[in-house]
Amino acid sequence: MFYFRGCGRWVAVSFTKQQFPLARLSSDSAAPRTPHFDVIVIGGGHAGTEAATAAARCGSRTLLLTHRVDTIGQMSCNPSFGGIGKGHLMREVDALDGLCSRICDQSGVHYKVLNRRKGPAVWGLRAQIDRKLYKQNMQKEILNTPLLTVQEGAVEDLILTEPEPEHTGKCRVSGVVLGWSAMA
């Protein structure tokens, strides 16, 4: 049984297989002396891994929920980072000590400046990446990040709080409902 705490409330989920088809994370249980998570990130893609490692680096106990741990860091059929638009984004992520820039440095096989014949305003850095090496390095980094726990699971639904009277329609997420299929 894991317990998560967020905004002063406890969120609990049991990862043992029961007769119920869904595990429900709710905020109605108290759990002293039980590990809790300050941040829960759903999805182990590029954005999810960046968000989870950033939260863990800031000192938050973080849970990363993903369908399959072995697909973390999996790249598309065109394994490149950068270009005209994404190159700027990569430099911003790198300036904030982002993960994908560091993993690209470790896994790169070819680096190129695009549009070099034009002016510097349209130059774009692009790195071709070894897909297997990138995936291996990303998983190694994610699974060895302090304060970060990775768990397989499929989020089926969100549990929302009641809307505040002065802000109709504005709810806060207080938990998630996990499907058992990915954890069985």
Side-chain angles (χ1 to χ4, degrees):
M1 171 101 42
F2 288 102
Y3 292 93
F4 313 107
R5 189 178 71 188
C7 301
R9 295 206 166 117
W10 286 96
V11 181
V13 61
S14 172
F15 291 115
T16 59
K17 194 167 185 178
Q18 297 177 3
Q19 43 186 272
F20 305 106
L22 299 174
R24 187 174 178 93
L25 291 138
S26 62
S27 60
D28 57 0
S29 71
R33 297 178 303 177
T34 304
H36 72 277
F37 296 94
D38 303 310
V39 177
I40 300 174
V41 177
I42 302 169
H46 293 303
T49 55
E50 290 290 348
T53 55
R57 281 194 314 268
C58 289
S60 298
R61 291 183 49 120
T62 306
L63 174 67
L64 174 62
L65 289 170
T66 184
H67 283 285
R68 293 178 48 201
V69 173
D70 63 335
T71 60
I72 290 176
Q74 186 167 319
M75 298 186 73
S76 67
C77 57
N78 180 16
S80 67
F81 276 92
I84 302 299
K86 291 182 186 176
H88 294 289
L89 179 63
M90 287 293 294
R91 280 185 240 136
E92 291 174 7
V93 168
D94 190 32
L96 296 170
D97 192 29
L99 188 59
C100 67
S101 299
R102 279 188 280 140
I103 303 301
C104 282
D105 289 342
Q106 297 169 4
S107 310
V109 293
H110 180 74
Y111 302 92
K112 183 177 182 177
V113 178
L114 302 175
N115 297 329
R116 177 141 325 210
R117 291 183 180 153
K118 298 180 181 179
V122 293
W123 289 353
L125 300 174
R126 176 178 287 163
Q128 291 297 121
I129 308 300
D130 182 314
R131 295 175 70 205
K132 290 180 183 176
L133 194 56
Y134 183 87
K135 184 176 178 179
Q136 175 186 355
N137 289 333
M138 179 63 83
Q139 289 179 6
K140 179 180 174 186
E141 183 77 22
I142 290 290
L143 297 175
N144 292 312
T145 300
L147 299 176
L148 177 60
T149 303
V150 180
Q151 177 66 46
E152 289 185 352
V155 176
E156 300 288 335
D157 200 4
L158 300 176
I159 300 171
L160 304 174
T161 61
E162 291 295 321
E164 299 173 9
E166 59 273 4
H167 303 296
T168 56
K170 184 177 179 182
C171 301
R172 192 175 69 214
V173 176
S174 63
V176 296
V177 177
L178 296 178
W180 288 109
S181 60
M183 294 178 287

